[in-house]
Amino acid sequence: DTADKIELDDFLKQEDEGDYGYDSDYYGGEQEQKTTPVRVETNFHDYLEDQVGMLDLDERQQKIAYQIIGSIDDDGYLRRESHALVDDLAFGQNISSTEEEVNELILQIQTQFDPAGVGAWTLQECLQLQLKRIAPKNETVQHAIDIIEKYFNEFTKKHYDKIQRYLNLTDSDLKEVIHVII
């Protein structure tokens, strides 16, 4: 029993001195530092909240922007009307705001945040926002915007012949325009 204790004490002492430890040349010199990778996940709302800093907002406006972002679903659509957001801010955060102020911040989110189209209330509005962000604006892009703004119903029903007549497009022009949209 005493012999076991001495041997263990000698081993621990030698390891502390580096004779047999991992840092000795016997084990190939410096040991590689091993780290466990940490997975960092950013969800969609975190991604949107990170973009609030791009806007020139005071602290109160930032809180309103965060409320708006919290009302955007995972598909990027805004699911609360402006008046409901005003109520949410008043009752939930004791922030007095107006529909105009909320709409102005929604517009900033819609026009400046990525992905393009985020914060739209409808598919039509989402497509409009996406198309308006395409650069350069050429005739094909403008026709695509016209279709979404003026002939969305026909577009969703695939009444391409009507759209072609309304906009006086050739078959190849129509194909290009549809390709820009979808």
Side-chain angles (χ1 to χ4, degrees):
D1 211 18
T2 308
D4 288 339
K5 184 173 173 114
I6 292 171
E7 287 178 24
L8 179 60
D9 287 342
D10 289 340
F11 176 75
L12 292 174
K13 184 177 176 189
Q14 288 173 345
E15 190 173 0
D16 287 342
E17 293 171 0
D19 293 311
Y20 301 104
Y22 289 107
D23 292 333
S24 73
D25 289 337
Y26 179 75
Y27 286 101
E30 291 184 28
Q31 285 290 319
E32 180 182 327
Q33 287 285 348
K34 300 210 182 218
T35 58
T36 305
V38 177
R39 184 172 170 187
V40 178
E41 286 190 33
T42 303
N43 70 31
F44 180 61
H45 287 94
D46 291 340
Y47 178 65
L48 294 177
E49 287 178 1
D50 288 345
Q51 296 178 64
V52 170
M54 294 184 334
L55 304 176
D56 185 24
L57 305 176
D58 61 31
E59 186 178 333
R60 183 180 157 285
Q61 291 170 321
Q62 284 182 356
K63 288 179 182 179
I64 295 170
Y66 289 131
Q67 183 73 36
I68 294 166
I69 289 168
S71 298
I72 295 175
D73 69 15
D74 289 339
D75 292 328
Y77 290 103
L78 189 55
R79 295 299 179 192
R80 305 274 296 156
E81 296 293 329
S82 301
H83 64 86
L85 287 166
V86 170
D87 291 344
D88 294 346
L89 288 160
F91 296 118
Q93 297 191 41
N94 200 26
I95 295 175
S96 178
S97 64
T98 64
E99 283 188 57
E100 292 76 26
E101 181 180 31
V102 168
N103 285 331
E104 174 57 35
L105 286 168
I106 290 170
L107 182 63
Q108 288 185 51
I109 290 168
Q110 290 175 336
T111 57
Q112 297 179 43
F113 279 27
D114 285 323
V118 70
W121 277 287
T122 65
L123 174 61
Q124 182 178 15
E125 184 180 25
C126 180
L127 290 170
Q128 287 171 330
L129 291 167
Q130 291 172 348
L131 289 168
K132 288 178 180 177
R133 252 208 239 172
I134 293 176
K137 301 278 187 290
N138 59 31
E139 190 175 19
T140 303
V141 173
Q142 190 54 53
H143 283 311
I145 292 169
D146 288 344
I147 288 172
I148 298 305
E149 288 179 352
K150 300 173 185 171
Y151 308 111
F152 187 71
N153 192 38
E154 290 85 349
F155 176 74
T156 59
K157 293 180 181 176
K158 298 183 180 181
H159 293 163
Y160 300 133
D161 55 328
K162 289 181 181 180
I163 294 170
Q164 190 174 4
R165 275 196 320 271
Y166 296 152
L167 295 176
N168 197 26
L169 300 173
T170 66
D171 288 346
S172 64
D173 288 342
L174 180 65
K175 285 180 185 176
E176 282 183 52
V177 172
I178 299 300
H179 181 71
V180 167
I181 296 172
I182 54 175

Short mmCIF file of all heavy atoms in Angstrom, two decimals, residues 43-97:
data_model
loop_
_atom_site.label_atom_id
_atom_site.label_comp_id
_atom_site.label_asym_id
_atom_site.label_seq_id
_atom_site.Cartn_x
_atom_site.Cartn_y
_atom_site.Cartn_z
N ASN A 43 -31.22 32.67 -36.74
CA ASN A 43 -32.49 32.43 -37.41
C ASN A 43 -32.88 33.66 -38.22
O ASN A 43 -32.23 34.69 -38.18
CB ASN A 43 -33.58 32.01 -36.40
CG ASN A 43 -34.01 33.11 -35.47
OD1 ASN A 43 -33.99 34.29 -35.83
ND2 ASN A 43 -34.41 32.74 -34.28
N PHE A 44 -33.94 33.53 -38.97
CA PHE A 44 -34.39 34.57 -39.88
C PHE A 44 -34.63 35.89 -39.15
O PHE A 44 -34.20 36.95 -39.61
CB PHE A 44 -35.65 34.09 -40.59
CG PHE A 44 -36.22 35.06 -41.57
CD1 PHE A 44 -35.50 35.49 -42.66
CD2 PHE A 44 -37.50 35.55 -41.40
CE1 PHE A 44 -36.03 36.39 -43.58
CE2 PHE A 44 -38.05 36.45 -42.31
CZ PHE A 44 -37.31 36.86 -43.39
N HIS A 45 -35.29 35.84 -38.01
CA HIS A 45 -35.59 37.07 -37.28
C HIS A 45 -34.32 37.73 -36.73
O HIS A 45 -34.20 38.95 -36.72
CB HIS A 45 -36.62 36.81 -36.17
CG HIS A 45 -37.99 36.60 -36.72
ND1 HIS A 45 -38.48 35.36 -36.99
CD2 HIS A 45 -38.95 37.47 -37.10
CE1 HIS A 45 -39.69 35.47 -37.50
NE2 HIS A 45 -40.00 36.75 -37.58
N ASP A 46 -33.36 36.92 -36.30
CA ASP A 46 -32.08 37.48 -35.85
C ASP A 46 -31.39 38.20 -37.02
O ASP A 46 -30.82 39.27 -36.85
CB ASP A 46 -31.15 36.38 -35.33
CG ASP A 46 -31.62 35.76 -34.03
OD1 ASP A 46 -32.42 36.40 -33.32
OD2 ASP A 46 -31.18 34.63 -33.72
N TYR A 47 -31.47 37.57 -38.19
CA TYR A 47 -30.87 38.17 -39.39
C TYR A 47 -31.52 39.52 -39.69
O TYR A 47 -30.82 40.49 -40.01
CB TYR A 47 -31.04 37.20 -40.57
CG TYR A 47 -30.52 37.70 -41.88
CD1 TYR A 47 -29.17 37.94 -42.08
CD2 TYR A 47 -31.38 37.94 -42.95
CE1 TYR A 47 -28.68 38.41 -43.29
CE2 TYR A 47 -30.91 38.40 -44.16
CZ TYR A 47 -29.55 38.63 -44.33
OH TYR A 47 -29.08 39.09 -45.53
N LEU A 48 -32.83 39.60 -39.57
CA LEU A 48 -33.52 40.87 -39.80
C LEU A 48 -33.18 41.89 -38.71
O LEU A 48 -32.91 43.06 -39.01
CB LEU A 48 -35.03 40.66 -39.86
CG LEU A 48 -35.56 39.82 -41.02
CD1 LEU A 48 -37.07 39.64 -40.90
CD2 LEU A 48 -35.19 40.43 -42.36
N GLU A 49 -33.15 41.46 -37.47
CA GLU A 49 -32.84 42.38 -36.37
C GLU A 49 -31.43 42.93 -36.49
O GLU A 49 -31.18 44.09 -36.16
CB GLU A 49 -33.03 41.68 -35.02
CG GLU A 49 -34.49 41.47 -34.66
CD GLU A 49 -34.71 40.75 -33.35
OE1 GLU A 49 -33.72 40.40 -32.67
OE2 GLU A 49 -35.88 40.54 -33.00
N ASP A 50 -30.51 42.12 -37.01
CA ASP A 50 -29.14 42.60 -37.21
C ASP A 50 -29.09 43.76 -38.20
O ASP A 50 -28.18 44.58 -38.15
CB ASP A 50 -28.24 41.47 -37.71
CG ASP A 50 -27.93 40.44 -36.64
OD1 ASP A 50 -28.18 40.72 -35.44
OD2 ASP A 50 -27.46 39.35 -37.00
N GLN A 51 -30.06 43.82 -39.10
CA GLN A 51 -30.07 44.87 -40.13
C GLN A 51 -30.66 46.19 -39.63
O GLN A 51 -30.54 47.21 -40.32
CB GLN A 51 -30.86 44.38 -41.35
CG GLN A 51 -30.19 43.18 -42.03
CD GLN A 51 -31.00 42.70 -43.20
OE1 GLN A 51 -31.16 43.41 -44.18
NE2 GLN A 51 -31.51 41.48 -43.10
N VAL A 52 -31.26 46.19 -38.45
CA VAL A 52 -31.83 47.42 -37.90
C VAL A 52 -30.75 48.49 -37.75
O VAL A 52 -30.99 49.67 -37.95
CB VAL A 52 -32.56 47.16 -36.56
CG1 VAL A 52 -32.95 48.47 -35.88
CG2 VAL A 52 -33.79 46.30 -36.79
N GLY A 53 -29.53 48.07 -37.45
CA GLY A 53 -28.42 49.00 -37.30
C GLY A 53 -28.10 49.78 -38.57
O GLY A 53 -27.45 50.83 -38.51
N MET A 54 -28.53 49.27 -39.72
CA MET A 54 -28.29 49.97 -40.99
C MET A 54 -29.18 51.20 -41.13
O MET A 54 -28.88 52.10 -41.90
CB MET A 54 -28.57 49.06 -42.18
CG MET A 54 -27.63 47.89 -42.31
SD MET A 54 -27.90 46.88 -43.79
CE MET A 54 -29.60 47.09 -44.22
N LEU A 55 -30.28 51.21 -40.39
CA LEU A 55 -31.21 52.32 -40.48
C LEU A 55 -30.79 53.41 -39.50
O LEU A 55 -30.26 53.13 -38.43
CB LEU A 55 -32.63 51.85 -40.16
CG LEU A 55 -33.18 50.70 -41.01
CD1 LEU A 55 -34.55 50.29 -40.50
CD2 LEU A 55 -33.24 51.09 -42.47
N ASP A 56 -31.05 54.64 -39.85
CA ASP A 56 -30.72 55.78 -38.98
C ASP A 56 -31.91 56.02 -38.06
O ASP A 56 -32.79 56.84 -38.35
CB ASP A 56 -30.42 57.01 -39.84
CG ASP A 56 -29.96 58.19 -39.00
OD1 ASP A 56 -29.44 57.97 -37.88
OD2 ASP A 56 -30.14 59.33 -39.46
N LEU A 57 -31.95 55.27 -36.94
CA LEU A 57 -33.09 55.31 -36.03
C LEU A 57 -32.64 55.64 -34.62
O LEU A 57 -31.57 55.24 -34.19
CB LEU A 57 -33.80 53.95 -36.00
CG LEU A 57 -34.27 53.36 -37.33
CD1 LEU A 57 -34.86 51.97 -37.10
CD2 LEU A 57 -35.29 54.26 -37.99
N ASP A 58 -33.51 56.35 -33.90
CA ASP A 58 -33.25 56.55 -32.48
C ASP A 58 -33.72 55.29 -31.73
O ASP A 58 -34.27 54.36 -32.33
CB ASP A 58 -33.91 57.83 -31.96
CG ASP A 58 -35.43 57.83 -32.08
OD1 ASP A 58 -36.07 56.75 -32.00
OD2 ASP A 58 -36.00 58.94 -32.26
N GLU A 59 -33.51 55.26 -30.43
CA GLU A 59 -33.82 54.07 -29.64
C GLU A 59 -35.30 53.70 -29.71
O GLU A 59 -35.65 52.52 -29.82
CB GLU A 59 -33.39 54.30 -28.18
CG GLU A 59 -33.54 53.07 -27.31
CD GLU A 59 -33.06 53.33 -25.89
OE1 GLU A 59 -32.20 54.21 -25.69
OE2 GLU A 59 -33.57 52.64 -24.99
N ARG A 60 -36.17 54.68 -29.65
CA ARG A 60 -37.61 54.44 -29.72
C ARG A 60 -38.00 53.84 -31.07
O ARG A 60 -38.75 52.88 -31.14
CB ARG A 60 -38.34 55.77 -29.49
CG ARG A 60 -39.84 55.66 -29.46
CD ARG A 60 -40.45 57.06 -29.21
NE ARG A 60 -41.80 57.08 -29.68
CZ ARG A 60 -42.14 57.13 -30.97
NH1 ARG A 60 -41.24 57.19 -31.91
NH2 ARG A 60 -43.41 57.13 -31.31
N GLN A 61 -37.47 54.40 -32.14
CA GLN A 61 -37.76 53.88 -33.48
C GLN A 61 -37.21 52.46 -33.65
O GLN A 61 -37.83 51.64 -34.32
CB GLN A 61 -37.16 54.80 -34.55
CG GLN A 61 -37.85 56.15 -34.65
CD GLN A 61 -37.09 57.11 -35.55
OE1 GLN A 61 -35.86 57.16 -35.53
NE2 GLN A 61 -37.84 57.87 -36.34
N GLN A 62 -36.08 52.19 -33.03
CA GLN A 62 -35.53 50.83 -33.09
C GLN A 62 -36.49 49.83 -32.44
O GLN A 62 -36.70 48.74 -32.96
CB GLN A 62 -34.17 50.76 -32.41
CG GLN A 62 -33.05 51.34 -33.22
CD GLN A 62 -31.71 51.23 -32.53
OE1 GLN A 62 -31.61 50.76 -31.39
NE2 GLN A 62 -30.66 51.66 -33.22
N LYS A 63 -37.08 50.22 -31.32
CA LYS A 63 -38.04 49.34 -30.65
C LYS A 63 -39.25 49.09 -31.55
O LYS A 63 -39.77 47.97 -31.60
CB LYS A 63 -38.48 49.95 -29.31
CG LYS A 63 -37.40 49.91 -28.25
CD LYS A 63 -37.87 50.54 -26.96
CE LYS A 63 -36.75 50.52 -25.92
NZ LYS A 63 -37.16 51.13 -24.67
N ILE A 64 -39.68 50.11 -32.26
CA ILE A 64 -40.80 49.95 -33.19
C ILE A 64 -40.39 49.01 -34.32
O ILE A 64 -41.14 48.11 -34.71
CB ILE A 64 -41.26 51.32 -33.73
CG1 ILE A 64 -41.83 52.18 -32.59
CG2 ILE A 64 -42.30 51.14 -34.84
CD1 ILE A 64 -42.10 53.63 -32.96
N ALA A 65 -39.17 49.19 -34.84
CA ALA A 65 -38.68 48.32 -35.91
C ALA A 65 -38.61 46.86 -35.44
O ALA A 65 -39.00 45.95 -36.18
CB ALA A 65 -37.31 48.79 -36.39
N TYR A 66 -38.16 46.65 -34.21
CA TYR A 66 -38.11 45.28 -33.67
C TYR A 66 -39.51 44.69 -33.54
O TYR A 66 -39.73 43.51 -33.78
CB TYR A 66 -37.39 45.24 -32.31
CG TYR A 66 -35.90 45.48 -32.40
CD1 TYR A 66 -35.28 46.40 -31.57
CD2 TYR A 66 -35.12 44.79 -33.32
CE1 TYR A 66 -33.91 46.62 -31.65
CE2 TYR A 66 -33.75 45.01 -33.40
CZ TYR A 66 -33.15 45.92 -32.57
OH TYR A 66 -31.80 46.13 -32.65
N GLN A 67 -40.48 45.51 -33.18
CA GLN A 67 -41.87 45.05 -33.09
C GLN A 67 -42.37 44.63 -34.47
O GLN A 67 -43.03 43.62 -34.62
CB GLN A 67 -42.77 46.15 -32.51
CG GLN A 67 -44.21 45.73 -32.32
CD GLN A 67 -44.38 44.77 -31.16
OE1 GLN A 67 -43.70 44.89 -30.14
NE2 GLN A 67 -45.27 43.81 -31.31
N ILE A 68 -42.04 45.43 -35.48
CA ILE A 68 -42.44 45.10 -36.85
C ILE A 68 -41.80 43.78 -37.27
O ILE A 68 -42.47 42.88 -37.78
CB ILE A 68 -42.04 46.24 -37.82
CG1 ILE A 68 -42.86 47.50 -37.52
CG2 ILE A 68 -42.24 45.80 -39.28
CD1 ILE A 68 -42.32 48.77 -38.18
N ILE A 69 -40.50 43.64 -37.02
CA ILE A 69 -39.78 42.42 -37.38
C ILE A 69 -40.38 41.21 -36.67
O ILE A 69 -40.51 40.14 -37.25
CB ILE A 69 -38.28 42.56 -37.07
CG1 ILE A 69 -37.66 43.55 -38.06
CG2 ILE A 69 -37.57 41.22 -37.12
CD1 ILE A 69 -36.26 44.01 -37.69
N GLY A 70 -40.78 41.40 -35.42
CA GLY A 70 -41.42 40.31 -34.67
C GLY A 70 -42.75 39.89 -35.26
O GLY A 70 -43.24 38.79 -34.99
N SER A 71 -43.34 40.74 -36.10
CA SER A 71 -44.62 40.43 -36.73
C SER A 71 -44.44 39.88 -38.14
O SER A 71 -45.42 39.67 -38.86
CB SER A 71 -45.48 41.69 -36.79
OG SER A 71 -45.76 42.15 -35.48
N ILE A 72 -43.21 39.65 -38.54
CA ILE A 72 -42.93 39.05 -39.85
C ILE A 72 -42.81 37.54 -39.64
O ILE A 72 -42.08 37.08 -38.76
CB ILE A 72 -41.63 39.64 -40.45
CG1 ILE A 72 -41.83 41.12 -40.76
CG2 ILE A 72 -41.21 38.87 -41.70
CD1 ILE A 72 -40.58 41.84 -41.23
N ASP A 73 -43.53 36.77 -40.47
CA ASP A 73 -43.47 35.31 -40.32
C ASP A 73 -42.20 34.76 -40.98
O ASP A 73 -41.41 35.49 -41.58
CB ASP A 73 -44.74 34.64 -40.85
CG ASP A 73 -44.91 34.72 -42.36
OD1 ASP A 73 -43.94 35.04 -43.08
OD2 ASP A 73 -46.03 34.43 -42.82
N ASP A 74 -41.99 33.45 -40.85
CA ASP A 74 -40.78 32.82 -41.37
C ASP A 74 -40.69 32.86 -42.89
O ASP A 74 -39.63 32.62 -43.45
CB ASP A 74 -40.67 31.38 -40.87
CG ASP A 74 -40.33 31.32 -39.39
OD1 ASP A 74 -39.80 32.31 -38.85
OD2 ASP A 74 -40.61 30.29 -38.76
N ASP A 75 -41.80 33.14 -43.56
CA ASP A 75 -41.80 33.28 -45.02
C ASP A 75 -41.49 34.71 -45.44
O ASP A 75 -41.43 35.01 -46.64
CB ASP A 75 -43.14 32.85 -45.61
CG ASP A 75 -43.38 31.35 -45.45
OD1 ASP A 75 -42.40 30.58 -45.47
OD2 ASP A 75 -44.55 30.96 -45.31
N GLY A 76 -41.35 35.62 -44.49
CA GLY A 76 -40.99 37.00 -44.79
C GLY A 76 -42.15 37.95 -44.92
O GLY A 76 -41.98 39.13 -45.20
N TYR A 77 -43.37 37.44 -44.69
CA TYR A 77 -44.55 38.29 -44.83
C TYR A 77 -44.92 38.94 -43.50
O TYR A 77 -44.85 38.30 -42.44
CB TYR A 77 -45.76 37.48 -45.32
CG TYR A 77 -45.61 37.03 -46.75
CD1 TYR A 77 -45.27 35.72 -47.06
CD2 TYR A 77 -45.82 37.92 -47.80
CE1 TYR A 77 -45.13 35.30 -48.37
CE2 TYR A 77 -45.67 37.52 -49.12
CZ TYR A 77 -45.33 36.21 -49.40
OH TYR A 77 -45.18 35.81 -50.69
N LEU A 78 -45.33 40.19 -43.58
CA LEU A 78 -45.81 40.92 -42.41
C LEU A 78 -47.23 40.46 -42.14
O LEU A 78 -48.09 40.52 -43.03
CB LEU A 78 -45.74 42.42 -42.69
CG LEU A 78 -46.00 43.37 -41.53
CD1 LEU A 78 -45.08 43.08 -40.36
CD2 LEU A 78 -45.82 44.80 -41.99
N ARG A 79 -47.49 40.01 -40.92
CA ARG A 79 -48.79 39.42 -40.61
C ARG A 79 -49.65 40.29 -39.70
O ARG A 79 -50.69 39.84 -39.23
CB ARG A 79 -48.60 38.04 -39.98
CG ARG A 79 -47.98 37.04 -40.92
CD ARG A 79 -48.85 36.84 -42.13
NE ARG A 79 -48.24 35.87 -43.04
CZ ARG A 79 -48.64 35.68 -44.27
NH1 ARG A 79 -49.63 36.37 -44.76
NH2 ARG A 79 -48.05 34.80 -45.03
N ARG A 80 -49.24 41.52 -39.45
CA ARG A 80 -50.04 42.44 -38.64
C ARG A 80 -50.23 43.72 -39.43
O ARG A 80 -49.30 44.21 -40.06
CB ARG A 80 -49.35 42.77 -37.32
CG ARG A 80 -48.95 41.60 -36.47
CD ARG A 80 -49.99 41.06 -35.55
NE ARG A 80 -50.39 42.00 -34.54
CZ ARG A 80 -51.57 41.93 -33.94
NH1 ARG A 80 -52.42 41.00 -34.26
NH2 ARG A 80 -51.90 42.80 -33.02
N GLU A 81 -51.41 44.27 -39.37
CA GLU A 81 -51.70 45.55 -40.01
C GLU A 81 -51.08 46.67 -39.18
O GLU A 81 -50.80 46.50 -37.99
CB GLU A 81 -53.21 45.76 -40.13
CG GLU A 81 -53.90 44.76 -41.04
CD GLU A 81 -53.52 44.88 -42.50
OE1 GLU A 81 -53.21 46.01 -42.94
OE2 GLU A 81 -53.50 43.86 -43.19
N SER A 82 -50.88 47.82 -39.80
CA SER A 82 -50.25 48.95 -39.12
C SER A 82 -50.98 49.35 -37.85
O SER A 82 -50.35 49.59 -36.81
CB SER A 82 -50.19 50.16 -40.06
OG SER A 82 -49.47 49.83 -41.21
N HIS A 83 -52.31 49.42 -37.92
CA HIS A 83 -53.07 49.83 -36.73
C HIS A 83 -52.91 48.82 -35.59
O HIS A 83 -52.86 49.19 -34.42
CB HIS A 83 -54.55 50.07 -37.06
CG HIS A 83 -55.28 48.85 -37.51
ND1 HIS A 83 -55.86 47.96 -36.64
CD2 HIS A 83 -55.51 48.35 -38.76
CE1 HIS A 83 -56.41 46.97 -37.32
NE2 HIS A 83 -56.22 47.19 -38.60
N ALA A 84 -52.80 47.54 -35.94
CA ALA A 84 -52.59 46.52 -34.91
C ALA A 84 -51.19 46.64 -34.30
O ALA A 84 -51.02 46.45 -33.09
CB ALA A 84 -52.78 45.13 -35.51
N LEU A 85 -50.21 47.00 -35.12
CA LEU A 85 -48.86 47.21 -34.60
C LEU A 85 -48.82 48.41 -33.66
O LEU A 85 -48.14 48.37 -32.63
CB LEU A 85 -47.87 47.40 -35.75
CG LEU A 85 -47.53 46.14 -36.54
CD1 LEU A 85 -46.84 46.48 -37.85
CD2 LEU A 85 -46.69 45.19 -35.72
N VAL A 86 -49.56 49.47 -33.99
CA VAL A 86 -49.65 50.64 -33.11
C VAL A 86 -50.22 50.22 -31.75
O VAL A 86 -49.70 50.60 -30.69
CB VAL A 86 -50.50 51.76 -33.76
CG1 VAL A 86 -50.81 52.87 -32.75
CG2 VAL A 86 -49.80 52.32 -34.98
N ASP A 87 -51.28 49.40 -31.78
CA ASP A 87 -51.87 48.89 -30.54
C ASP A 87 -50.90 48.01 -29.78
O ASP A 87 -50.77 48.11 -28.55
CB ASP A 87 -53.17 48.11 -30.83
CG ASP A 87 -54.30 49.00 -31.31
OD1 ASP A 87 -54.22 50.23 -31.15
OD2 ASP A 87 -55.28 48.44 -31.87
N ASP A 88 -50.20 47.11 -30.49
CA ASP A 88 -49.22 46.23 -29.85
C ASP A 88 -48.15 47.05 -29.13
O ASP A 88 -47.75 46.72 -28.01
CB ASP A 88 -48.53 45.33 -30.89
CG ASP A 88 -49.48 44.33 -31.53
OD1 ASP A 88 -50.60 44.12 -31.01
OD2 ASP A 88 -49.09 43.75 -32.58
N LEU A 89 -47.68 48.09 -29.78
CA LEU A 89 -46.65 48.95 -29.18
C LEU A 89 -47.18 49.67 -27.95
O LEU A 89 -46.48 49.77 -26.93
CB LEU A 89 -46.14 49.96 -30.22
CG LEU A 89 -45.28 49.38 -31.33
CD1 LEU A 89 -45.23 50.31 -32.53
CD2 LEU A 89 -43.87 49.11 -30.80
N ALA A 90 -48.41 50.17 -28.03
CA ALA A 90 -49.00 50.91 -26.91
C ALA A 90 -49.21 50.00 -25.70
O ALA A 90 -48.83 50.34 -24.58
CB ALA A 90 -50.31 51.55 -27.33
N PHE A 91 -49.80 48.84 -25.93
CA PHE A 91 -50.14 47.96 -24.81
C PHE A 91 -48.98 47.09 -24.35
O PHE A 91 -48.82 46.83 -23.17
CB PHE A 91 -51.35 47.09 -25.16
CG PHE A 91 -52.59 47.88 -25.38
CD1 PHE A 91 -53.23 47.88 -26.62
CD2 PHE A 91 -53.16 48.63 -24.37
CE1 PHE A 91 -54.39 48.61 -26.84
CE2 PHE A 91 -54.31 49.38 -24.56
CZ PHE A 91 -54.92 49.36 -25.81
N GLY A 92 -48.15 46.65 -25.28
CA GLY A 92 -47.06 45.73 -24.94
C GLY A 92 -45.79 46.41 -24.50
O GLY A 92 -45.04 45.87 -23.68
N GLN A 93 -45.52 47.61 -25.04
CA GLN A 93 -44.24 48.26 -24.74
C GLN A 93 -44.40 49.69 -24.24
O GLN A 93 -43.40 50.38 -24.05
CB GLN A 93 -43.35 48.25 -25.99
CG GLN A 93 -42.99 46.84 -26.43
CD GLN A 93 -41.90 46.86 -27.48
OE1 GLN A 93 -40.95 47.62 -27.38
NE2 GLN A 93 -42.05 46.03 -28.48
N ASN A 94 -45.64 50.13 -24.10
CA ASN A 94 -45.92 51.49 -23.63
C ASN A 94 -45.25 52.55 -24.52
O ASN A 94 -44.71 53.55 -24.05
CB ASN A 94 -45.49 51.66 -22.16
CG ASN A 94 -46.19 52.84 -21.51
OD1 ASN A 94 -47.28 53.23 -21.92
ND2 ASN A 94 -45.54 53.41 -20.51
N ILE A 95 -45.30 52.28 -25.85
CA ILE A 95 -44.75 53.22 -26.83
C ILE A 95 -45.90 53.79 -27.64
O ILE A 95 -46.64 53.05 -28.28
CB ILE A 95 -43.74 52.52 -27.76
CG1 ILE A 95 -42.52 52.03 -26.97
CG2 ILE A 95 -43.32 53.45 -28.90
CD1 ILE A 95 -41.54 51.22 -27.78
N SER A 96 -46.03 55.08 -27.62
CA SER A 96 -47.06 55.76 -28.39
C SER A 96 -46.53 56.02 -29.79
O SER A 96 -45.46 56.61 -29.96
CB SER A 96 -47.44 57.08 -27.71
OG SER A 96 -48.41 57.74 -28.48
N SER A 97 -47.25 55.55 -30.79
CA SER A 97 -46.84 55.76 -32.18
C SER A 97 -48.08 55.97 -33.04
O SER A 97 -49.20 55.87 -32.56
CB SER A 97 -46.02 54.57 -32.69
OG SER A 97 -46.82 53.41 -32.70
#
